[in-house]
Amino acid sequence: SGFVRMENLSKTYPNGTVALHDVNLTIHEGEFLCFVGPSGCGKSTIFKIITGLSSPSGGTLDVFGTTPKEARKQSDISFVFQDHTLLPWSTVESNVRLPLELRGVDKKTQKIEAERVLEMVGLKDYMKVLPRQLSGGMKMRVSIARALVSRPKLLLMDEPFGALDEITRQTLQNELLNIWQQDKKMTVLFVTHNVFESVFLSTRVVVMTARPGKIAATLDIPVPFP
Ligand code: ADP
Ligand code: ADP
């Protein structure tokens, strides 16, 4: 079995582009996987297929024993993108509560959960602030908090720290590792162009090549924590 399993997964877009060819990958619960590779190697396509936004043209995909669409419906999957899509006219708290509000969770629980995750990213004192009053690193922390608020089994991160300066990026990398270690069951899939970042963060690096998108190698990284 496996937590997320791809077997002979292929994706050809309607215009004939072969984005993925014969991808085989089994992801285990609690792994921190980094995908590295040139642009066009199919990293985003894998993410779109895992989340049910795009369907494979061949092969099979199993996401915790169900279909991607079902897993997403149950809020078991969250995303973080580089361009944190925060609502500019909503406070930090409202932004973070939004995924729960959309699911019809009661207001009291929304507040408790928002406080929980904002505490995790060190922004509990900024709940009433608007995103534009925050630095880039702080906005990214809000995006991470919003992704964590639904207690996802799977966290997908697409180049989240790509736009941050080096010092902020290193701080965020360490914070993310701390968060991941607090919840041994959360599985993280992280796309990056930065090989150093991938080796620092992950328990396994998946190296991809383009035309067509394929897995060239996977590299196990010994976890430096007890
Ligand atoms: P990456 O995220 O690694 O840059 P993508 O998954 O975005 O790669 O793209 C893989 C390949 O598929 C690229 O050649 C890209 O141009 C192509 N592609 C991506 N999305 C589409 C689409 N909707 N229609 C046609 N081709 C696409
Ligand atoms: P599908 O529903 O087949 O999985 P998507 O929803 O990913 O496809 O994309 C829908 C359409 O968006 C594609 O058919 C294509 O016309 C366009 N598109 C998106 N990204 C790209 C890209 N990188 N290259 C070419 N076309 C793209």
Side-chain angles (χ1 to χ4, degrees), residues 150-162:
S150 50
R151 300 178 186 262
K153 293 183 191 169
L154 189 60
L155 179 62
L156 301 183
M157 308 185 83
D158 194 351
E159 291 258 14
F161 306 151

Side-chain angles (χ1 to χ4, degrees), residues 113-184:
E113 290 297 295
E115 282 175 5
R116 176 182 68 87
V117 291
L118 283 167
E119 174 106 65
M120 285 169 80
V121 299
L123 289 181
K124 220 182 152 191
D125 295 338
Y126 293 82
M127 295 187 51
K128 301 299 173 198
V129 161
L130 292 175
R132 68 160 178 274
Q133 297 168 270
L134 302 175
S135 68
M138 290 160 97
K139 284 183 210 162
M140 179 49 66
R141 290 183 180 93
V142 178
S143 300
I144 292 172
R146 185 183 54 184
L148 295 174
V149 78
S150 50
R151 300 178 186 262
K153 293 183 191 169
L154 189 60
L155 179 62
L156 301 183
M157 308 185 83
D158 194 351
E159 291 258 14
F161 306 151
L164 303 175
D165 66 83
E166 186 57 28
I167 300 289
T168 308
R169 184 188 315 156
Q170 287 175 12
T171 308
L172 267 288
Q173 286 170 348
N174 282 302
E175 290 178 13
L176 177 61
L177 282 180
N178 283 331
I179 288 168
W180 171 66
Q181 282 168 3
Q182 282 168 36
D183 180 358
K184 293 274 180 247

Side-chain angles (χ1 to χ4, degrees), residues 13-20 37-46 48 158 191 193 211:
Y13 283 106
N15 68 359
T17 304
V18 182
L20 293 176
S39 111
C41 68
K43 303 181 298 280
S44 310
T45 299
I46 286 188
K48 279 197 254 172
D158 194 351
V191 165
H193 278 104
R211 282 187 293 276

Side-chain angles (χ1 to χ4, degrees), residues 65-106:
T66 182
T67 61
K69 282 191 176 100
E70 198 55 39
R72 187 159 57 104
K73 225 186 290 165
Q74 294 166 7
S75 308
D76 288 338
I77 302 180
S78 292
F79 315 74
V80 177
F81 300 104
Q82 181 174 312
D83 46 356
H84 33 73
T85 46
L86 301 175
L87 302 177
W89 58 87
S90 295
T91 62
V92 164
E93 181 186 350
S94 305
N95 269 284
V96 170
R97 286 167 65 146
L98 188 63
L100 300 181
E101 193 182 329
L102 293 174
R103 282 173 71 198
V105 170
D106 67 90

